[in-house]
Amino acid sequence: MSLKLLVNDKKIWDAFNVELDNRLAFAHRQLELTRDTNELYRLQGEVRTLRSFKQLREKVNGTTDESF
């Protein structure tokens, strides 16, 4: 499956974003509750990855600035 099919099909893209939002909310709740430093770092990486997935449409379609 091409990534363009995922990011340019509104119904699929919207469902994907709902799933990402749910996972982000769960990861944020876990961040608030964790006391383990290694788990904190792991969760921060998870949040960063999920946020990058939310920008996938712009990256695949070439409409983003990747200077960060």
Side-chain angles (χ1 to χ4, degrees), residues 6-40:
L6 166 70
V7 300
N8 291 320
D9 184 313
K10 181 164 176 38
K11 185 177 177 181
I12 294 172
W13 181 249
D14 289 345
F16 183 66
N17 271 295
V18 167
E19 179 64 23
L20 291 175
D21 290 339
N22 290 339
R23 289 176 184 240
L24 276 165
F26 183 73
H28 283 128
R29 283 192 300 274
Q30 287 180 305
L31 273 167
E32 293 172 354
L33 299 173
T34 191
R35 293 176 187 248
D36 179 38
T37 306
N38 289 329
E39 182 69 5
L40 178 73

Side-chain angles (χ1 to χ4, degrees), residues 47-60:
V47 167
R48 184 175 184 168
T49 301
L50 291 168
R51 285 187 179 155
S52 71
F53 280 140
K54 290 187 73 71
Q55 298 173 356
L56 187 62
R57 177 183 238 169
E58 289 79 19
K59 185 173 182 177
V60 169

